[in-house]
């Protein structure tokens, strides 16, 4: 505790439970009082440049006036109303707009309030579509090593086995079919064998197209995704693209499926959907799957409906966010960020302990041999005046697409400085800055 810490922090600290944290040793989080653009203002007056857009959500920067105005107007008219039996304009407009942006034939939008639940709904739809058509045993999914799809039990089961703690929760998690992502001849052969062996019990394949985000920012490509599409077609499986991280310009195109030229049967969206304003998620489904729910049998309906489904504030924010993609040059900004990240992070390649430097769209990754003390690295970034959160073996930047070029080069310089001092300490040479 610090004398400058606000009283709510010291009082509440004994009562909050932090995400992904060992609470015995977790450092006190830094109190934030304001956010604006790419800036996070701390209670003691310091400003941090945000390098990760609050877990990849704030694609237009914080507090964009157009989104703020739309949410304020919606708050005035109707902060919330239930979605069962009642309709409201923000959700109906948003559903039509999302369908317009997504591939032909993906027309049906189911709204939820978090990414994990959007993925669960996708899984439920893929399985129930088969049940409705009389296929009783096709309940399993192929998912991938290094994948991440959420923290709830159904989604943990389709995450990387180690990160998803499949052993710890054995008996509680559904057993799914985890395969290597088919990136080359060897992994493709292994994947093909696994799918063939399980084909009779499979409902679908789920993948993060182009980038496995929380699994370590590992890239994949169009050839991989084409192979998944061909496999899904061959065995009659539903192909789910989890675009919760990749959606809304992050990889350089509005969505990853466009860049890959591969059309899935279901797309899940969340994270940047509201421009980082409030929780909202969507599962967008192909007509052919939706048709399996149209029936005289009441048991064939999709029985799902979160209490705050299609919250009008979230939908208003999402519509305003889509306005900004139409009226402001977000994809050009993503391209400029890509170029700046390539130049700005390149010096890391020469530093000891660096395994890889990779960039795709507005994602820049420096992979180290290992990170022994992530907390120390995070503290080093704070001293550099930036908000960057290394995890596993990577330091990464996913800034707001609106970040000013000067700020972006400050972020890159901070990464170079921190990598330099960290690896210099490890290898016993003096840091040269
Ligand atoms: C973050 C994320 C999720 C989970 O979203 P939550 O809103 O945290 O539940 C699922 N899939 C991917 C690809 C993600 O990046």
């Amino acid at each position: 505790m610090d004398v400058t810490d606000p009283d709510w922090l010291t009082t509440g600290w004994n009562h909050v439970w932090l995400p992904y944290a060992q609470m015995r040793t977790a450092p006190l989080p830094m109190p934030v009082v304001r956010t604006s653009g790419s800036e996070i203002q701390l209670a003691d007056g310091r400003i941090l440049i945000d390098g990760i857009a609050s877990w990849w959500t704030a694609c237009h920067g914080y507090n964009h006036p157009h989104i703020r105005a739309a949410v304020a107007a919606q708050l005035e008219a109707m902060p919330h109303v239930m979605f069962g039996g009642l309709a409201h304009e923000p959700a109906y407009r948003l559903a039509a707009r999302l369908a317009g942006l997504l591939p032909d034939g993906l027309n049906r939008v189911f709204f939820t309030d978090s990414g994990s639940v959007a993925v669960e709904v996708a899984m439920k739809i893929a399985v129930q579509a088969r049940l409705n058509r009389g296929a009783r045993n096709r309940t399993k999914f192929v998912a991938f090593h290094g994948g991440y799809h959420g923290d709830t039990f159904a989604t943990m089961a389709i995450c990387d086995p180690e990160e998803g703690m499949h052993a710890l929760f054995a008996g509680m998690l559904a057993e799914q079919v985890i395969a290597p992502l088919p990136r080359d001849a060897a992994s493709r052969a292994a994947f093909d064998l696994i799918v063939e062996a399980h084909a009779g019990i499979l409902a679908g394949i789920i993948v993060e197209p182009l980038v496995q985000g929380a699994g370590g920012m590992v890239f994949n490509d169009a050839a991989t995704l084409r192979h998944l599409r061909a496999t899904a077609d061959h065995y009659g499986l539903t192909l789910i693209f989890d675009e919760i991280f990749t959606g809304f310009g992050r990889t350089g195109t509005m969505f990853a499926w466009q860049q890959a030229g591969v059309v899935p049967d279901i797309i899940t969206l969340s994270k940047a959907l509201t421009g980082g304003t409030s929780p909202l998620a969507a599962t967008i489904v192909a007509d052919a799957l939706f048709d399996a729910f149209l029936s005289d049998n009441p048991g064939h309906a999709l029985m799902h409906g979160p209490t705050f489904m299609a919250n009008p504030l979230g939908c208003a924010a999402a519509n305003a966010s889509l306005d900004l993609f139409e009226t402001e040059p977000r994809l050009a900004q993503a391209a400029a960020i890509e170029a700046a990240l390539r130049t700005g992070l390149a010096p890391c390649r020469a530093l000891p302990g660096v395994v890889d430097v990779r960039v795709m769209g507005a994602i820049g990754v420096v992979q180290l041999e290992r990170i022994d003390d992530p907390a120390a690295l995070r503290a080093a970034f704070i001293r550099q005046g930036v908000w960057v959160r290394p995890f596993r073996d990577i330091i990464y930047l996913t800034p707001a697409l609106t970040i000013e070029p000067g700020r972006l080069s400050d972020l890159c310089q901070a990464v170079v400085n921190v990598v330099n001092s960290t690896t210099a300490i490890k290898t016993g040479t003096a840091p040269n800055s």
Side-chain angles (χ1 to χ4, degrees):
M1 308 281 163
D2 198 292
V3 283
T4 58
D5 285 339
D7 67 330
W8 54 259
L9 182 69
T10 44
T11 311
W13 175 237
N14 293 318
H15 302 285
V16 297
W17 196 329
L18 302 180
Y20 307 118
Q22 169 46 254
M23 293 299 290
R24 199 168 66 84
T25 51
L28 190 69
M30 279 178 311
V32 177
V33 290
R34 273 196 83 80
T35 53
S36 155
S38 286
E39 289 184 358
I40 296 172
Q41 188 189 325
L42 303 180
D44 63 10
R46 274 181 298 165
I47 303 273
L48 300 179
I49 307 171
D50 186 356
I52 56 174
S54 274
W55 273 335
W56 328 329
T57 60
C59 55
H60 313 287
Y62 295 111
N63 254 337
H64 194 289
H66 180 66
I67 299 182
R68 213 171 52 219
V71 173
Q74 188 59 44
L75 184 63
E76 193 68 33
M78 177 171 64
H80 185 66
V81 70
M82 64 188 283
F83 209 56
L86 298 173
H88 58 81
E89 181 174 351
Y92 278 61
R93 282 205 188 286
L94 179 60
R97 289 177 83 175
L98 289 174
L101 287 169
L102 294 172
D104 287 346
L106 269 71
N107 286 311
R108 200 55 66 160
V109 181
F110 194 95
F111 289 113
T112 50
D113 29 36
S114 78
S116 301
V117 176
V119 172
E120 295 227 2
V121 167
M123 296 170 78
K124 202 181 205 178
I125 288 170
V127 170
Q128 196 183 339
R130 287 170 175 76
L131 293 174
N132 286 356
R133 287 177 168 154
R136 302 221 58 84
N137 294 322
R138 313 225 359 186
T139 57
K140 301 285 182 194
F141 291 85
V142 179
F144 297 102
H145 290 284
Y148 177 79
H149 301 285
D151 293 344
T152 56
F153 278 105
T155 57
M156 278 164 77
I158 52 169
C159 288
D160 179 83
E162 206 172 302
E163 295 295 311
M165 295 165 289
H166 292 193
L168 178 63
F169 290 107
M172 200 156 181
L173 290 184
E175 264 183 48
Q176 302 292 4
V177 179
I178 310 296
L181 197 54
R183 297 171 199 280
D184 55 17
S187 54
R188 195 160 55 239
F191 166 82
D192 288 347
L193 279 178
I194 290 172
V195 176
E196 193 182 2
H198 296 88
I201 57 168
L202 293 177
I205 302 173
I206 181 161
V207 68
E208 293 157 90
L210 297 187
V211 189
Q212 291 181 309
M217 305 279 172
V218 179
F219 300 163
N220 57 74
D221 64 14
T224 292
L225 301 172
R226 278 196 299 271
H227 188 67
L228 299 185
R229 179 71 271 176
T231 305
D233 290 343
H234 182 75
Y235 292 105
L237 309 180
T238 294
L239 181 60
I240 303 170
F241 277 6
D242 180 350
E243 292 231 31
I244 290 170
F245 171 51
T246 54
F248 305 103
R250 186 52 65 189
T251 67
T253 44
M254 189 64 172
F255 300 101
W257 69 267
Q258 294 167 301
Q259 199 173 141
V262 177
V263 173
D265 304 301
I266 301 182
I267 292 178
T268 52
L269 299 174
S270 187
K271 294 236 158 71
L273 173 58
T274 63
T277 310
S278 63
L280 186 71
T283 305
I284 301 92
V285 181
D287 296 335
L289 279 169
F290 177 71
D291 287 348
F293 291 78
L294 305 179
S295 164
D296 296 330
N297 181 341
H300 286 182
L302 178 66
M303 299 308 285
H304 208 100
T307 306
F308 280 99
M309 179 169 183
N311 169 254
L313 294 173
C315 292
N319 278 312
S321 174
L322 292 182
D323 294 344
L324 292 173
F325 277 101
E326 287 168 9
T327 57
E328 298 187 0
R330 287 293 172 271
L331 298 184
Q333 289 168 320
I337 291 171
E338 173 161 0
L341 287 172
R342 282 191 197 286
T343 317
L345 296 178
C348 291
R349 281 183 205 284
L351 299 176
V354 173
V355 174
D356 189 28
V357 177
R358 53 182 179 269
V359 174
M360 184 193 297
I363 306 167
V365 184
V366 177
Q367 187 177 348
L368 305 180
E369 274 161 21
R370 59 175 194 279
I371 293 178
D372 293 323
D373 188 352
L377 267 196
R378 290 168 184 179
F381 278 112
I382 304 288
R383 286 193 298 275
Q384 297 275 325
V386 305
W387 181 238
V388 173
R389 298 270 292 176
F391 70 99
R392 296 170 64 116
D393 55 354
I394 64 164
I395 297 170
Y396 74 95
L397 296 175
T398 52
L401 302 178
T402 50
I403 191 165
E404 304 86 341
R407 290 298 171 81
L408 183 55
S409 78
D410 292 346
L411 282 172
C412 291
Q413 193 55 53
V415 172
V416 174
N417 293 347
V418 169
V419 171
N420 196 22
S421 56
T422 314
T423 53
I425 290 162
K426 218 165 62 192
T427 55
T429 53
N432 44 18
S433 66

Short mmCIF file of all heavy atoms in Angstrom, two decimals, residues 41 138 142-143 167 252:
data_model
loop_
_atom_site.label_atom_id
_atom_site.label_comp_id
_atom_site.label_asym_id
_atom_site.label_seq_id
_atom_site.Cartn_x
_atom_site.Cartn_y
_atom_site.Cartn_z
N GLN A 41 -5.09 6.91 -17.19
CA GLN A 41 -4.61 7.83 -16.15
C GLN A 41 -4.75 7.20 -14.78
O GLN A 41 -5.83 6.77 -14.38
CB GLN A 41 -5.39 9.15 -16.20
CG GLN A 41 -4.79 10.20 -15.26
CD GLN A 41 -5.67 11.43 -15.12
OE1 GLN A 41 -6.34 11.84 -16.08
NE2 GLN A 41 -5.70 12.00 -13.93
N ARG A 138 -23.33 -37.38 -32.48
CA ARG A 138 -22.32 -36.42 -32.97
C ARG A 138 -22.26 -35.23 -32.03
O ARG A 138 -22.86 -34.18 -32.28
CB ARG A 138 -22.65 -36.03 -34.40
CG ARG A 138 -22.97 -37.28 -35.20
CD ARG A 138 -22.40 -37.47 -36.54
NE ARG A 138 -21.56 -36.49 -37.14
CZ ARG A 138 -21.14 -36.60 -38.39
NH1 ARG A 138 -21.49 -37.61 -39.14
NH2 ARG A 138 -20.36 -35.69 -38.88
N VAL A 142 -13.52 -31.13 -32.59
CA VAL A 142 -12.07 -31.09 -32.77
C VAL A 142 -11.63 -29.67 -32.45
O VAL A 142 -12.17 -28.71 -33.01
CB VAL A 142 -11.65 -31.43 -34.22
CG1 VAL A 142 -10.13 -31.36 -34.36
CG2 VAL A 142 -12.16 -32.80 -34.62
N ALA A 143 -10.67 -29.56 -31.52
CA ALA A 143 -10.08 -28.26 -31.20
C ALA A 143 -8.57 -28.45 -31.17
O ALA A 143 -8.09 -29.58 -31.34
CB ALA A 143 -10.61 -27.76 -29.85
N ALA A 167 -6.33 -31.96 -17.13
CA ALA A 167 -6.01 -33.01 -16.16
C ALA A 167 -6.62 -32.65 -14.80
O ALA A 167 -7.27 -33.48 -14.16
CB ALA A 167 -4.50 -33.18 -16.05
N GLY A 252 -5.75 -6.94 -39.70
CA GLY A 252 -5.51 -6.12 -40.90
C GLY A 252 -6.70 -6.09 -41.84
O GLY A 252 -6.82 -5.18 -42.66
#
